[in-house]
Amino acid sequence: MNSLLQTLYFTNELRRAVYMMPTENDDPIKSVPYALQRVFYDLQFNEKSVGTKRLTRSFGWETLDTFMQHDVQELCRVLMDNLENKMKGTKVEGIIPKLFEGKMISYVKCKTIDYESRREEGFYDIQLNIKGKKDIAESFKDYVTVETLDGEYKYDAGKFGMQVAQKCVIFEKF
């Protein structure tokens, strides 16, 4: 959590947007955006280490929950969803996707007929397979490797039926 918070804090455009969210009417105990504003303020103006108790309490976590291991990807999604909702209708609306959303195309091309499918998708993160990989570059290469759909895993090409196809992911924007 500390690494994530520091990363978000040092994303200057995000930090400015977090400060601009209107939180004056929020419940200071239950508001994630308000609690994040406090953490950012403390990081910016305090010389001492910064506590996150108010922030974790705003998630609905009790003391025991803070000692349990939580998935950082899940924590990031909780924070981003809360911030995006709070930013709606304000001058900082859209900053989360602008800064963090990438675009990829899920692509399938049949091998024996002239049929292909392309679907653009937004993403905030990707889940790389790291088991048996020597580094992140190898994990990423594995992620974008073309996969052949054959046998019992043939592609359903609608009116063309089940077809042998190649499937891959193409990144448009990071």
Side-chain angles (χ1 to χ4, degrees):
M1 179 173 67
N2 289 335
S3 296
L4 174 63
L5 292 175
Q6 288 176 39
T7 300
L8 296 177
Y9 172 79
F10 283 109
T11 305
N12 294 330
E13 195 172 351
L14 175 68
R15 185 174 66 241
R16 282 190 293 277
V18 166
Y19 285 148
M20 296 170 93
M21 291 183 304
T23 57
E24 56 275 352
N25 296 324
D26 288 9
D27 181 337
I29 294 177
K30 294 180 180 175
S31 172
V32 173
Y34 176 79
L36 188 61
Q37 284 176 335
R38 295 297 314 162
V39 168
F40 281 5
Y41 179 88
D42 290 345
L43 284 169
Q44 188 168 355
F45 294 107
N46 284 343
E47 295 291 321
K48 300 175 192 166
S49 62
V50 174
T52 58
K53 193 176 282 188
R54 287 183 193 156
L55 181 62
T56 56
R57 194 176 303 137
S58 73
F59 299 155
W61 293 357
E62 299 302 323
T63 306
L64 183 61
D65 294 316
T66 61
F67 292 105
M68 293 174 59
Q69 185 168 338
H70 295 274
D71 186 284
V72 72
Q73 181 184 23
E74 190 179 327
L75 172 63
C76 189
R77 279 293 354 123
V78 168
L79 279 173
M80 294 299 165
D81 289 346
N82 272 276
L83 295 179
E84 274 191 288
N85 286 334
K86 190 64 176 179
M87 291 175 177
K88 281 185 179 150
T90 72
K91 61 183 172 182
V92 292
E93 181 175 1
I95 198 74
I96 301 293
K98 177 187 170 212
L99 291 174
F100 299 107
E101 185 179 46
K103 298 279 185 208
M104 71 171 99
I105 295 173
S106 293
Y107 180 78
V108 178
K109 181 172 178 48
C110 294
K111 292 187 84 162
T112 57
I113 62 168
D114 187 26
Y115 181 85
E116 63 183 56
S117 169
R118 299 171 65 95
R119 186 178 74 241
E120 185 177 275
E121 301 174 54
F123 68 92
Y124 284 98
D125 49 48
I126 57 174
Q127 292 184 335
L128 297 177
N129 179 16
I130 58 171
K131 189 173 185 172
K133 308 293 183 245
K134 68 178 180 181
D135 56 26
I136 195 159
E138 190 176 322
S139 295
F140 188 75
K141 196 174 192 176
D142 178 61
Y143 192 87
V144 296
T145 298
V146 176
E147 177 186 353
T148 299
L149 304 174
D150 199 359
E152 66 182 83
Y153 299 106
K154 284 183 179 176
Y155 179 70
D156 184 354
K159 68 180 181 181
F160 300 107
M162 303 305 280
Q163 298 289 322
V164 175
Q166 291 187 312
K167 173 183 168 184
C168 68
V169 172
I170 303 166
F171 285 97
E172 291 267 297
K173 174 185 166 229
F174 288 102

